[in-house]
Amino acid sequence: MRRTRALAVTAAATLLLTACTASDTPTPDATGTTAPGATPAAPDAPPPGPLPTAAATDDCVVGTWRLDLAAMQGELRDLVAGSGDGEVEVTLDGTTTYEFEVDGRFTAAVDSSSSVAMSAGGDELRSTSASAGDLEGTWVLADGVLTIADVDPQDLDVTTTATLGGDPLDVPAGSAEDAIEALPPTSSTATCSPDALALTASPPADAGGDAVGITYVLRR
């Protein structure tokens, strides 16, 4: 496999936004069927605002939050841009809502879709993904680090398609942590204000030795 093609396949596998779910969730092939359609983001969604700087506390985290898709779209566009050699398009639509219960329970309600278009080595990579359903797990905050564990993804349905140069790609199964748009980082530094929660993850360094971090912005 040519290096550019290998890089593009890697990008497809790791940056398909909602492409991957837990390994015990059935994964369609690259020409998979259509998943339940995601609805556009609500027009009355809160406008972007400054990120919080105060370390999160349990009292601040508890409650209902909506993922800021506009902020996430910008973060992912920047990440994907480094994997190609031409223009990159990243689009997210729908809604993802998180509930942090006072007793330590965590739930997510997901109805979202995403698409990526980029070029690598003269080939065009296109991918689309749609996810709908629910996730549940537990959460704990300690020393400013929010940890989400015991994630059960069995009620989350994800459908992904991908092509490279017009040829269909097989998208490998992943884990719940890979469902980028559905699940926030399982371990992240958390800052919080009454109307915003920022979760900044620093995944392991990639093959080049550079850490790839991403910030999830949640709003009331």
Side-chain angles (χ1 to χ4, degrees):
M1 181 180 290
R2 290 184 296 120
R3 176 173 174 80
T4 53
R5 184 177 179 87
L7 288 174
V9 172
T10 299
T14 59
L15 296 174
L16 279 176
L17 317 185
T18 59
C20 302
T21 63
S23 57
D24 60 352
T25 302
T27 302
D29 59 24
T31 58
T33 58
T34 301
T39 56
D44 59 351
L51 295 184
T53 57
T57 63
D58 285 0
D59 288 343
C60 187
V61 172
V62 168
T64 303
W65 300 89
R66 173 177 289 185
L67 178 64
D68 186 331
L69 289 180
M72 175 64 73
Q73 182 170 286
E75 288 266 331
L76 292 173
R77 183 183 293 115
D78 291 342
L79 284 177
V80 178
S83 301
D85 51 22
E87 293 186 3
V88 171
E89 298 178 8
V90 178
T91 303
L92 279 71
D93 287 304
T95 57
T96 298
T97 302
Y98 302 128
E99 183 77 28
F100 295 91
E101 302 281 0
V102 69
D103 62 1
R105 289 184 299 163
F106 165 81
T107 59
V110 185
D111 184 9
S112 58
S113 65
S114 61
S115 64
V116 175
M118 59 181 287
S119 60
D123 286 332
E124 183 178 51
L125 169 67
R126 287 187 173 273
S127 66
T128 61
S129 183
S131 59
D134 303 303
L135 292 167
E136 60 181 34
T138 62
W139 72 276
V140 64
L141 181 69
D143 298 325
V145 175
L146 180 70
T147 301
I148 296 176
D150 305 318
V151 176
D152 181 0
Q154 65 179 349
D155 292 326
L156 179 69
D157 295 320
V158 178
T159 298
T160 300
T161 63
T163 61
L164 181 63
D167 298 326
L169 295 174
D170 290 326
V171 181
S175 64
E177 291 88 338
D178 295 322
I180 295 177
E181 192 183 334
L183 179 69
T186 54
S187 180
S188 60
T189 300
T191 56
C192 192
S193 68
D195 58 0
L197 174 61
L199 305 176
T200 302
S202 295
D206 62 19
D210 297 325
V212 180
I214 188 169
T215 297
Y216 284 61
V217 180
L218 282 56
R219 302 195 186 277
R220 294 291 191 189

